Amino acid sequence: MGKQELWRNSSPIWARPQQDFYRMFRDDVLYQIVGHTPVEEPLDSYGVLSLDLFSTYSNGDPYGNQKLYIVDTVTREYNEAKLPPKRSK
């Protein structure tokens, strides 16, 4: 990909699947995780997983579910990360 392709909204650099539908480069093979555009819940759309879940509104209130996810990029599965149970002393 050259400079002209990389600066388009559909490039791997500026992927925003929540705003518009488009096919990503090799989305049948590649799975891209993005975190630069806030979403309320994980958004899995055509080879792109949007996970910017820790954003805030301008007044500081949280935007997004404030959860961390573990992603398997081979199977394209993602699950909320859970803390292990506390050990008794």
Side-chain angles (χ1 to χ4, degrees):
M1 296 185 115
K3 180 179 175 183
Q4 295 299 321
E5 293 82 17
L6 289 175
W7 282 103
R8 292 186 300 192
N9 277 342
S10 61
S11 84
I13 296 174
W14 302 112
R16 292 181 184 95
Q18 63 273 38
Q19 293 179 354
D20 196 11
F21 167 77
Y22 48 82
R23 298 293 304 264
M24 291 295 290
F25 174 75
R26 301 289 313 264
D27 63 0
D28 59 327
V29 176
L30 303 174
Y31 194 47
Q32 181 168 331
I33 314 303
V34 296
H36 58 73
T37 303
V39 290
E40 292 185 22
E41 294 288 332
L43 177 64
D44 191 355
S45 179
Y46 301 97
V48 178
L49 179 60
S50 295
L51 283 177
D52 185 353
L53 304 163
F54 288 94
S55 293
T56 60
Y57 291 100
S58 58
N59 68 358
D61 288 344
Y63 181 86
N65 68 15
Q66 309 294 294
K67 296 177 182 177
L68 176 67
Y69 288 80
I70 305 298
V71 180
D72 183 327
T73 57
V74 175
T75 64
R76 298 185 180 202
E77 294 178 3
Y78 57 93
N79 294 291
E80 182 183 341
K82 302 280 187 179
L83 291 173
K86 291 184 179 181
R87 292 190 218 174
S88 57
K89 294 182 179 183

Coordinates of all heavy atoms in Angstrom, one line a residue:
M1 N 0.8 -1.2 0.0 CA 0.0 0.0 0.0 C 0.9 1.2 0.0 O 1.8 1.3 0.8 CB -0.9 0.0 1.2 CG -1.9 -1.1 1.3 SD -3.1 -0.9 2.6 CE -4.6 -0.6 1.8
G2 N 0.5 2.2 -0.8 CA 1.3 3.4 -0.9 C 0.6 4.6 -0.1 O -0.4 4.4 0.6
K3 N 1.2 5.7 -0.1 CA 0.8 6.9 0.6 C -0.7 7.2 0.3 O -1.5 7.5 1.2 CB 1.7 8.1 0.3 CG 1.3 9.4 1.0 CD 2.3 10.5 0.6 CE 1.8 11.8 1.2 NZ 2.7 12.9 0.8
Q4 N -1.1 7.2 -0.9 CA -2.5 7.5 -1.3 C -3.5 6.5 -0.7 O -4.5 7.0 -0.2 CB -2.7 7.5 -2.8 CG -1.9 8.6 -3.5 CD -2.3 10.0 -3.1 OE1 -3.4 10.3 -2.8 NE2 -1.3 10.9 -2.9
E5 N -3.1 5.3 -0.7 CA -4.0 4.2 -0.1 C -4.1 4.3 1.4 O -5.1 4.1 2.0 CB -3.6 2.8 -0.5 CG -3.8 2.6 -2.0 CD -2.6 3.1 -2.9 OE1 -1.6 3.4 -2.3 OE2 -2.8 3.2 -4.1
L6 N -3.0 4.6 2.0 CA -2.9 4.6 3.5 C -3.6 5.8 4.1 O -4.0 5.7 5.3 CB -1.4 4.6 4.0 CG -0.7 3.2 3.8 CD1 0.7 3.3 4.1 CD2 -1.4 2.1 4.5
W7 N -3.8 6.9 3.4 CA -4.5 8.0 4.0 C -6.0 8.1 3.7 O -6.7 9.0 4.1 CB -3.9 9.3 3.5 CG -2.6 9.6 4.3 CD1 -1.3 9.4 3.8 CD2 -2.5 10.0 5.6 NE1 -0.4 9.6 4.8 CE2 -1.1 10.0 6.0 CE3 -3.4 10.3 6.6 CZ2 -0.7 10.4 7.2 CZ3 -3.0 10.7 7.9 CH2 -1.6 10.7 8.2
R8 N -6.5 7.0 3.1 CA -8.0 6.9 2.9 C -8.6 6.4 4.2 O -8.0 5.7 5.0 CB -8.3 6.0 1.8 CG -7.9 6.5 0.4 CD -8.4 5.6 -0.7 NE -7.8 4.3 -0.5 CZ -7.8 3.3 -1.4 NH1 -8.4 3.5 -2.5 NH2 -7.2 2.2 -1.1
N9 N -9.9 6.7 4.4 CA -10.6 6.2 5.6 C -10.6 4.7 5.7 O -10.8 4.1 6.7 CB -12.1 6.7 5.6 CG -12.1 8.1 6.2 OD1 -11.2 8.5 6.9 ND2 -13.2 8.8 5.9
S10 N -10.6 4.0 4.5 CA -10.6 2.5 4.6 C -9.2 1.9 4.7 O -9.1 0.7 4.5 CB -11.3 2.0 3.3 OG -10.5 2.4 2.1
S11 N -8.2 2.7 5.0 CA -6.9 2.1 5.1 C -6.8 1.4 6.5 O -7.5 1.7 7.4 CB -5.8 3.1 5.0 OG -5.6 3.8 6.2
P12 N -5.8 0.6 6.7 CA -5.5 -0.1 8.0 C -5.2 1.0 9.1 O -5.4 0.7 10.3 CB -4.4 -1.0 7.8 CG -4.3 -1.2 6.3 CD -4.9 0.0 5.7
I13 N -4.7 2.1 8.7 CA -4.4 3.2 9.7 C -5.6 3.9 10.3 O -5.7 4.2 11.4 CB -3.4 4.2 9.1 CG1 -2.1 3.6 8.7 CG2 -3.2 5.4 10.0 CD1 -1.2 4.5 7.9
W14 N -6.6 4.1 9.4 CA -7.8 4.9 9.9 C -9.1 4.1 9.8 O -10.1 4.7 9.5 CB -7.9 6.2 9.0 CG -6.7 7.0 9.0 CD1 -5.8 7.2 8.0 CD2 -6.1 7.7 10.2 NE1 -4.7 8.0 8.5 CE2 -4.9 8.3 9.8 CE3 -6.6 7.9 11.5 CZ2 -4.2 9.1 10.6 CZ3 -5.8 8.6 12.3 CH2 -4.6 9.2 11.9
A15 N -9.1 2.9 10.1 CA -10.3 2.1 10.1 C -11.3 2.6 11.0 O -11.0 2.7 12.2 CB -9.9 0.6 10.3
R16 N -12.5 2.8 10.6 CA -13.6 3.3 11.4 C -14.9 2.5 10.9 O -15.8 3.1 10.4 CB -13.8 4.8 11.3 CG -12.7 5.6 11.9 CD -13.0 7.1 11.8 NE -11.9 7.8 12.3 CZ -10.9 8.3 11.5 NH1 -10.9 8.1 10.2 NH2 -9.9 9.0 12.0
P17 N -15.0 1.2 11.2 CA -16.1 0.4 10.7 C -17.5 0.9 11.3 O -18.5 0.6 10.7 CB -15.8 -1.0 11.0 CG -14.8 -0.9 12.1 CD -14.1 0.4 11.9
Q18 N -17.5 1.5 12.4 CA -18.7 1.9 13.1 C -19.3 3.1 12.3 O -20.5 3.4 12.6 CB -18.5 2.2 14.6 CG -17.6 3.4 14.9 CD -16.1 2.9 15.0 OE1 -15.7 2.1 14.2 NE2 -15.4 3.5 15.9
Q19 N -18.6 3.8 11.5 CA -19.1 5.0 10.8 C -19.6 4.6 9.4 O -20.4 5.3 8.8 CB -18.0 6.0 10.7 CG -17.7 6.6 12.1 CD -16.7 7.7 12.0 OE1 -16.1 7.9 11.0 NE2 -16.4 8.3 13.1
D20 N -19.0 3.6 8.7 CA -19.4 3.3 7.4 C -18.9 1.9 7.0 O -17.9 1.4 7.6 CB -18.7 4.3 6.4 CG -19.3 4.3 5.0 OD1 -20.4 3.7 4.9 OD2 -18.8 4.9 4.1
F21 N -19.6 1.2 6.1 CA -19.2 -0.1 5.7 C -18.2 0.0 4.6 O -18.4 0.7 3.6 CB -20.4 -0.9 5.3 CG -20.0 -2.2 4.5 CD1 -19.5 -3.3 5.2 CD2 -20.0 -2.2 3.2 CE1 -19.1 -4.4 4.6 CE2 -19.6 -3.4 2.5 CZ -19.1 -4.4 3.2
Y22 N -17.2 -0.8 4.7 CA -16.2 -0.9 3.5 C -15.4 -2.2 3.8 O -15.3 -2.6 4.9 CB -15.3 0.3 3.3 CG -14.7 0.7 4.6 CD1 -13.5 0.1 5.1 CD2 -15.2 1.8 5.3 CE1 -13.0 0.6 6.3 CE2 -14.6 2.2 6.5 CZ -13.5 1.6 7.0 OH -12.9 2.0 8.1
R23 N -14.9 -2.8 2.8 CA -14.1 -4.0 2.9 C -12.6 -3.5 3.2 O -12.1 -2.6 2.5 CB -14.1 -4.8 1.6 CG -15.5 -5.3 1.2 CD -16.0 -6.4 2.2 NE -15.1 -7.5 2.4 CZ -15.2 -8.7 1.8 NH1 -16.1 -8.8 0.9 NH2 -14.4 -9.6 2.1
M24 N -12.0 -4.2 4.1 CA -10.6 -3.9 4.4 C -9.7 -4.8 3.5 O -10.1 -5.8 3.0 CB -10.3 -4.2 5.9 CG -10.9 -3.3 6.9 SD -10.3 -1.6 6.8 CE -8.7 -1.9 7.4
F25 N -8.5 -4.4 3.3 CA -7.5 -5.1 2.6 C -7.3 -6.5 3.2 O -7.0 -6.6 4.4 CB -6.2 -4.3 2.6 CG -5.0 -5.1 1.9 CD1 -5.0 -5.2 0.6 CD2 -4.1 -5.7 2.7 CE1 -3.9 -5.9 0.0 CE2 -3.0 -6.3 2.1 CZ -3.0 -6.4 0.7
R26 N -7.6 -7.5 2.4 CA -7.4 -8.9 2.8 C -8.1 -9.3 4.1 O -7.6 -10.0 5.0 CB -5.9 -9.3 2.9 CG -5.0 -9.1 1.7 CD -5.2 -10.1 0.6 NE -5.3 -11.4 1.0 CZ -4.3 -12.3 1.0 NH1 -3.1 -11.9 0.6 NH2 -4.4 -13.5 1.4
D27 N -9.3 -8.8 4.2 CA -10.1 -9.1 5.5 C -10.5 -10.5 5.6 O -10.9 -11.0 6.7 CB -11.3 -8.2 5.6 CG -12.3 -8.4 4.5 OD1 -12.1 -9.2 3.6 OD2 -13.4 -7.7 4.5
D28 N -10.3 -11.3 4.6 CA -10.5 -12.7 4.6 C -9.4 -13.4 5.4 O -9.5 -14.5 5.9 CB -10.7 -13.3 3.3 CG -9.5 -13.1 2.3 OD1 -8.9 -12.0 2.5 OD2 -9.3 -14.0 1.5
V29 N -8.2 -12.8 5.4 CA -7.0 -13.4 6.0 C -6.6 -12.6 7.2 O -6.2 -13.2 8.3 CB -5.9 -13.4 5.0 CG1 -4.6 -13.9 5.6 CG2 -6.2 -14.2 3.8
L30 N -6.6 -11.3 7.2 CA -6.1 -10.4 8.2 C -7.2 -10.0 9.2 O -8.3 -9.8 8.7 CB -5.4 -9.2 7.6 CG -4.3 -9.5 6.6 CD1 -3.8 -8.2 6.0 CD2 -3.1 -10.2 7.3
Y31 N -6.9 -9.9 10.4 CA -7.8 -9.5 11.5 C -7.2 -8.3 12.2 O -6.1 -8.4 12.8 CB -8.1 -10.6 12.4 CG -9.3 -10.4 13.3 CD1 -10.5 -10.0 12.8 CD2 -9.2 -10.7 14.7 CE1 -11.6 -9.8 13.7 CE2 -10.3 -10.5 15.5 CZ -11.4 -10.1 15.0 OH -12.5 -9.9 15.9
Q32 N -7.7 -7.1 12.0 CA -7.2 -5.9 12.6 C -7.9 -5.5 13.8 O -9.1 -5.4 13.8 CB -7.2 -4.8 11.5 CG -6.6 -3.5 12.0 CD -6.4 -2.5 10.9 OE1 -6.2 -2.9 9.8 NE2 -6.4 -1.3 11.3
I33 N -7.1 -5.2 14.9 CA -7.6 -4.7 16.1 C -7.4 -3.2 16.2 O -6.2 -2.8 16.1 CB -7.0 -5.4 17.3 CG1 -6.9 -6.9 17.2 CG2 -7.7 -5.0 18.6 CD1 -8.2 -7.6 16.9
V34 N -8.4 -2.4 16.4 CA -8.2 -0.9 16.4 C -8.7 -0.4 17.7 O -9.6 -0.9 18.4 CB -8.9 -0.2 15.2 CG1 -8.3 -0.6 13.9 CG2 -10.4 -0.5 15.2
G35 N -8.1 0.7 18.2 CA -8.4 1.3 19.4 C -8.4 2.8 19.4 O -8.2 3.4 20.5
H36 N -8.5 3.4 18.3 CA -8.4 4.8 18.2 C -9.7 5.5 18.0 O -9.8 6.8 18.0 CB -7.5 5.2 17.0 CG -7.9 4.7 15.7 ND1 -9.0 5.2 15.0 CD2 -7.4 3.7 15.0 CE1 -9.1 4.5 13.9 NE2 -8.2 3.6 13.8
T37 N -10.8 4.8 17.9 CA -12.1 5.4 17.8 C -13.1 4.8 18.8 O -13.3 3.6 18.8 CB -12.7 5.1 16.4 OG1 -11.8 5.7 15.4 CG2 -14.0 5.8 16.2
P38 N -13.6 5.6 19.8 CA -14.4 5.0 20.9 C -15.6 4.3 20.4 O -16.3 4.7 19.5 CB -14.8 6.3 21.7 CG -13.8 7.3 21.3 CD -13.4 7.0 19.9
V39 N -15.9 3.2 21.1 CA -17.1 2.4 20.9 C -17.6 2.0 22.3 O -16.9 2.0 23.3 CB -16.9 1.1 20.1 CG1 -16.6 1.5 18.6 CG2 -15.8 0.3 20.6
E40 N -18.9 1.8 22.4 CA -19.5 1.5 23.7 C -19.3 0.0 24.1 O -19.1 -0.3 25.3 CB -21.0 1.8 23.7 CG -21.3 3.3 23.7 CD -22.8 3.6 23.8 OE1 -23.5 2.8 24.3 OE2 -23.1 4.7 23.4
E41 N -19.3 -0.9 23.1 CA -19.1 -2.3 23.3 C -18.2 -2.7 22.1 O -18.1 -2.0 21.1 CB -20.4 -3.1 23.2 CG -21.4 -2.8 24.3 CD -21.0 -3.4 25.6 OE1 -20.3 -4.4 25.6 OE2 -21.4 -2.8 26.6
P42 N -17.5 -3.9 22.2 CA -16.7 -4.4 21.1 C -17.5 -4.4 19.9 O -18.6 -4.8 19.9 CB -16.2 -5.8 21.6 CG -16.3 -5.7 23.1 CD -17.5 -4.8 23.4
L43 N -16.9 -4.0 18.8 CA -17.5 -4.0 17.5 C -16.7 -4.8 16.5 O -15.6 -4.4 16.2 CB -17.7 -2.6 16.9 CG -18.4 -2.5 15.6 CD1 -19.8 -3.0 15.5 CD2 -18.3 -1.0 15.1
D44 N -17.2 -5.9 16.1 CA -16.5 -6.8 15.2 C -17.2 -6.7 13.8 O -18.3 -7.1 13.6 CB -16.6 -8.3 15.7 CG -15.7 -9.2 14.9 OD1 -15.1 -8.8 13.9 OD2 -15.6 -10.4 15.4
S45 N -16.5 -6.1 12.8 CA -17.1 -5.8 11.5 C -16.1 -6.1 10.4 O -15.1 -5.3 10.3 CB -17.6 -4.4 11.6 OG -18.2 -4.0 10.4
Y46 N -16.3 -7.1 9.6 CA -15.6 -7.3 8.4 C -14.0 -7.2 8.5 O -13.4 -6.5 7.9 CB -16.1 -6.4 7.3 CG -17.5 -6.5 7.0 CD1 -18.5 -5.7 7.6 CD2 -18.0 -7.6 6.2 CE1 -19.8 -5.9 7.4 CE2 -19.3 -7.8 6.0 CZ -20.2 -6.9 6.5 OH -21.6 -7.1 6.3
G47 N -13.5 -8.0 9.5 CA -12.1 -8.1 9.6 C -11.5 -7.0 10.5 O -10.2 -6.9 10.6
V48 N -12.3 -6.2 11.2 CA -11.8 -5.2 12.1 C -12.6 -5.3 13.4 O -13.8 -5.4 13.5 CB -12.1 -3.8 11.5 CG1 -11.6 -2.7 12.5 CG2 -11.4 -3.6 10.2
L49 N -11.8 -5.3 14.5 CA -12.4 -5.4 15.8 C -12.0 -4.1 16.5 O -10.9 -3.8 16.8 CB -11.8 -6.6 16.7 CG -12.3 -6.7 18.1 CD1 -13.8 -6.9 18.1 CD2 -11.6 -7.8 18.8
S50 N -13.0 -3.2 16.8 CA -12.8 -2.0 17.5 C -13.0 -2.2 19.0 O -14.0 -2.7 19.5 CB -13.9 -0.9 17.0 OG -13.7 -0.6 15.7
L51 N -11.9 -1.8 19.7 CA -11.9 -2.0 21.2 C -11.5 -0.8 22.0 O -10.9 -0.9 23.0 CB -10.9 -3.2 21.5 CG -11.4 -4.6 21.2 CD1 -10.3 -5.6 21.5 CD2 -12.6 -4.9 22.0
D52 N -11.8 0.4 21.5 CA -11.5 1.6 22.4 C -12.6 1.8 23.3 O -13.6 2.5 23.1 CB -11.3 2.8 21.5 CG -10.9 4.0 22.3 OD1 -10.8 3.9 23.5 OD2 -10.6 5.1 21.7
L53 N -12.5 1.1 24.5 CA -13.6 1.0 25.4 C -13.4 1.8 26.7 O -14.1 1.8 27.6 CB -13.9 -0.4 25.8 CG -14.2 -1.3 24.6 CD1 -14.0 -2.8 25.0 CD2 -15.6 -1.1 24.1
F54 N -12.3 2.6 26.7 CA -11.9 3.3 27.9 C -11.9 4.8 27.7 O -11.2 5.6 28.3 CB -10.5 2.9 28.4 CG -10.5 1.5 29.0 CD1 -10.2 0.4 28.3 CD2 -10.8 1.4 30.4 CE1 -10.2 -0.9 28.8 CE2 -10.8 0.1 30.9 CZ -10.5 -1.0 30.2
S55 N -12.6 5.3 26.7 CA -12.7 6.7 26.4 C -13.6 7.4 27.4 O -14.3 6.8 28.2 CB -13.2 7.0 25.0 OG -12.2 6.5 24.1
T56 N -13.6 8.7 27.4 CA -14.5 9.5 28.2 C -15.1 10.6 27.4 O -14.6 11.1 26.4 CB -13.7 10.2 29.4 OG1 -12.7 11.0 28.9 CG2 -13.1 9.1 30.3
Y57 N -16.3 11.1 27.9 CA -16.9 12.3 27.4 C -16.1 13.5 27.9 O -15.2 13.4 28.7 CB -18.3 12.4 27.9 CG -19.3 11.4 27.3 CD1 -19.6 10.3 28.1 CD2 -19.8 11.6 26.1 CE1 -20.5 9.4 27.6 CE2 -20.7 10.6 25.5 CZ -21.1 9.5 26.3 OH -21.9 8.6 25.8
S58 N -16.3 14.7 27.3 CA -15.5 15.8 27.7 C -15.7 16.2 29.2 O -14.8 16.8 29.7 CB -15.9 17.0 26.8 OG -17.3 17.3 26.9
N59 N -16.8 15.8 29.8 CA -16.9 16.1 31.2 C -16.3 15.0 32.1 O -16.3 15.1 33.4 CB -18.4 16.2 31.6 CG -19.2 14.9 31.5 OD1 -18.6 13.8 31.1 ND2 -20.4 14.9 31.8
G60 N -15.6 14.0 31.5 CA -14.9 13.0 32.3 C -15.7 11.7 32.5 O -15.1 10.7 33.0
D61 N -17.0 11.7 32.2 CA -17.8 10.5 32.4 C -17.3 9.4 31.4 O -16.9 9.8 30.3 CB -19.3 10.8 32.1 CG -19.9 11.6 33.2 OD1 -19.3 11.6 34.3 OD2 -21.0 12.1 33.0
P62 N -17.3 8.2 31.8 CA -16.8 7.1 30.9 C -17.7 6.9 29.7 O -18.9 7.0 29.8 CB -16.8 5.9 31.8 CG -17.7 6.2 33.0 CD -17.8 7.7 33.1
Y63 N -17.1 6.6 28.6 CA -17.7 6.2 27.4 C -17.1 4.9 27.0 O -15.9 4.7 26.9 CB -17.5 7.2 26.2 CG -18.2 6.8 24.9 CD1 -19.5 7.2 24.7 CD2 -17.5 6.1 24.0 CE1 -20.1 6.8 23.6 CE2 -18.2 5.7 22.8 CZ -19.5 6.1 22.6 OH -20.1 5.8 21.4
G64 N -18.0 3.9 26.8 CA -17.5 2.5 26.6 C -17.7 1.7 27.8 O -18.0 2.3 28.9
N65 N -17.6 0.4 27.7 CA -17.9 -0.4 28.9 C -16.8 -0.6 29.9 O -16.9 -1.2 30.9 CB -18.4 -1.8 28.4 CG -17.3 -2.6 27.7 OD1 -16.1 -2.3 27.8 ND2 -17.7 -3.7 27.0
Q66 N -15.6 0.1 29.6 CA -14.5 0.1 30.5 C -14.0 -1.3 30.9 O -13.6 -1.6 32.0 CB -14.9 0.8 31.8 CG -15.5 2.2 31.6 CD -14.6 3.2 31.0 OE1 -13.6 3.6 31.6 NE2 -14.8 3.6 29.8
K67 N -14.1 -2.2 29.9 CA -13.6 -3.6 30.2 C -12.4 -3.9 29.2 O -12.3 -3.3 28.2 CB -14.7 -4.6 29.9 CG -15.9 -4.5 30.8 CD -17.0 -5.4 30.5 CE -18.2 -5.2 31.4 NZ -19.3 -6.1 31.0
L68 N -11.6 -4.9 29.7 CA -10.5 -5.3 28.9 C -10.8 -6.7 28.3 O -11.4 -7.5 28.9 CB -9.3 -5.5 29.9 CG -8.0 -6.1 29.3 CD1 -7.4 -5.1 28.3 CD2 -7.0 -6.4 30.4
Y69 N -10.4 -6.8 27.1 CA -10.7 -8.1 26.3 C -9.4 -8.8 25.9 O -8.4 -8.1 25.6 CB -11.5 -7.8 25.1 CG -13.0 -7.4 25.5 CD1 -13.3 -6.2 25.9 CD2 -14.0 -8.4 25.5 CE1 -14.5 -5.8 26.3 CE2 -15.2 -8.1 25.9 CZ -15.5 -6.8 26.3 OH -16.8 -6.5 26.7
I70 N -9.4 -10.1 25.9 CA -8.3 -10.9 25.3 C -8.8 -11.4 24.0 O -9.9 -11.9 23.8 CB -8.1 -12.1 26.2 CG1 -7.8 -11.7 27.7 CG2 -7.0 -13.0 25.7 CD1 -6.6 -10.9 27.9
V71 N -7.9 -11.2 23.0 CA -8.3 -11.5 21.6 C -7.4 -12.6 21.0 O -6.2 -12.5 21.1 CB -8.2 -10.2 20.7 CG1 -8.6 -10.5 19.3 CG2 -9.0 -9.1 21.2
D72 N -8.0 -13.6 20.4 CA -7.3 -14.6 19.7 C -7.5 -14.3 18.2 O -8.5 -14.4 17.6 CB -8.0 -16.0 19.9 CG -7.2 -17.1 19.3 OD1 -6.7 -16.9 18.1 OD2 -7.2 -18.2 19.8
T73 N -6.4 -13.8 17.6 CA -6.4 -13.3 16.3 C -6.5 -14.4 15.2 O -6.7 -14.1 14.1 CB -5.2 -12.4 15.9 OG1 -4.0 -13.1 16.2 CG2 -5.3 -11.1 16.8
V74 N -6.3 -15.6 15.6 CA -6.4 -16.8 14.7 C -7.8 -17.2 14.6 O -8.4 -17.3 13.5 CB -5.5 -18.0 15.2 CG1 -5.7 -19.2 14.3 CG2 -4.0 -17.6 15.2
T75 N -8.5 -17.4 15.7 CA -9.9 -17.8 15.7 C -10.9 -16.6 15.6 O -12.0 -16.8 15.4 CB -10.3 -18.6 16.9 OG1 -10.1 -17.7 18.1 CG2 -9.4 -19.8 17.1
R76 N -10.3 -15.4 15.8 CA -11.1 -14.2 15.8 C -12.2 -14.2 17.0 O -13.2 -13.6 16.9 CB -11.8 -13.9 14.5 CG -10.8 -13.7 13.4 CD -11.5 -13.3 12.1 NE -10.5 -13.2 11.0 CZ -10.7 -12.4 10.0 NH1 -11.8 -11.8 9.8 NH2 -9.7 -12.3 9.1
E77 N -11.8 -14.8 18.1 CA -12.7 -14.8 19.2 C -12.1 -13.8 20.3 O -10.9 -13.7 20.4 CB -12.7 -16.2 19.9 CG -13.4 -17.2 19.0 CD -13.4 -18.6 19.6 OE1 -12.9 -18.8 20.7 OE2 -13.9 -19.5 18.9
Y78 N -13.0 -13.2 21.0 CA -12.6 -12.3 22.0 C -13.5 -12.5 23.2 O -14.7 -12.7 23.1 CB -12.5 -10.8 21.6 CG -13.9 -10.3 21.1 CD1 -14.8 -9.7 21.9 CD2 -14.2 -10.5 19.7 CE1 -16.0 -9.2 21.4 CE2 -15.4 -10.1 19.2 CZ -16.3 -9.4 20.1 OH -17.5 -9.0 19.6
N79 N -12.9 -12.4 24.4 CA -13.6 -12.5 25.7 C -13.1 -11.5 26.7 O -11.9 -11.1 26.7 CB -13.4 -13.9 26.2 CG -13.9 -15.0 25.3 OD1 -15.1 -15.1 25.2 ND2 -13.1 -15.8 24.7
E80 N -14.0 -11.1 27.6 CA -13.7 -10.2 28.6 C -12.6 -10.9 29.5 O -12.7 -12.0 29.9 CB -14.9 -9.9 29.4 CG -14.7 -8.9 30.5 CD -15.9 -8.6 31.4 OE1 -17.0 -8.9 30.9 OE2 -15.7 -8.1 32.5
A81 N -11.6 -10.1 29.8 CA -10.6 -10.6 30.8 C -11.1 -10.5 32.2 O -11.7 -9.6 32.6 CB -9.3 -9.7 30.7
K82 N -11.0 -11.6 32.9 CA -11.5 -11.7 34.3 C -10.3 -11.9 35.2 O -9.3 -12.5 34.9 CB -12.4 -12.9 34.4 CG -13.6 -13.0 33.5 CD -14.7 -12.1 34.0 CE -15.9 -12.3 33.1 NZ -17.0 -11.5 33.5
L83 N -10.4 -11.2 36.4 CA -9.4 -11.4 37.4 C -9.5 -12.8 38.0 O -10.7 -13.3 38.2 CB -9.6 -10.4 38.5 CG -9.3 -9.0 38.1 CD1 -9.7 -8.0 39.3 CD2 -7.8 -8.8 37.8
P84 N -8.4 -13.4 38.3 CA -8.5 -14.8 38.9 C -9.1 -14.6 40.3 O -9.0 -13.6 40.9 CB -7.1 -15.2 39.0 CG -6.2 -14.0 38.8 CD -7.1 -13.0 38.1
P85 N -9.7 -15.7 40.8 CA -10.2 -15.6 42.2 C -9.1 -15.3 43.2 O -8.0 -15.7 43.0 CB -10.8 -17.0 42.4 CG -10.6 -17.8 41.2 CD -9.9 -17.0 40.2
K86 N -9.5 -14.6 44.2 CA -8.5 -14.3 45.3 C -8.1 -15.6 46.0 O -9.0 -16.4 46.3 CB -9.0 -13.3 46.3 CG -9.2 -11.9 45.7 CD -9.6 -10.9 46.7 CE -9.8 -9.6 46.1 NZ -10.2 -8.5 47.1
R87 N -6.9 -15.7 46.3 CA -6.4 -16.9 47.1 C -6.6 -16.7 48.6 O -6.4 -15.6 49.0 CB -4.9 -17.2 46.8 CG -4.6 -17.6 45.4 CD -3.2 -18.1 45.3 NE -2.6 -17.6 44.1 CZ -1.4 -17.8 43.8 NH1 -0.5 -18.3 44.6 NH2 -0.9 -17.4 42.6
S88 N -7.0 -17.7 49.2 CA -7.1 -17.5 50.7 C -5.7 -17.7 51.3 O -4.9 -18.4 50.8 CB -8.0 -18.6 51.3 OG -7.6 -19.9 50.9
K89 N -5.5 -17.0 52.4 CA -4.1 -17.0 53.0 C -4.0 -18.2 54.0 O -4.8 -18.7 54.5 CB -3.9 -15.7 53.7 CG -3.8 -14.6 52.7 CD -3.5 -13.3 53.5 CE -3.4 -12.2 52.4 NZ -3.0 -10.9 53.1

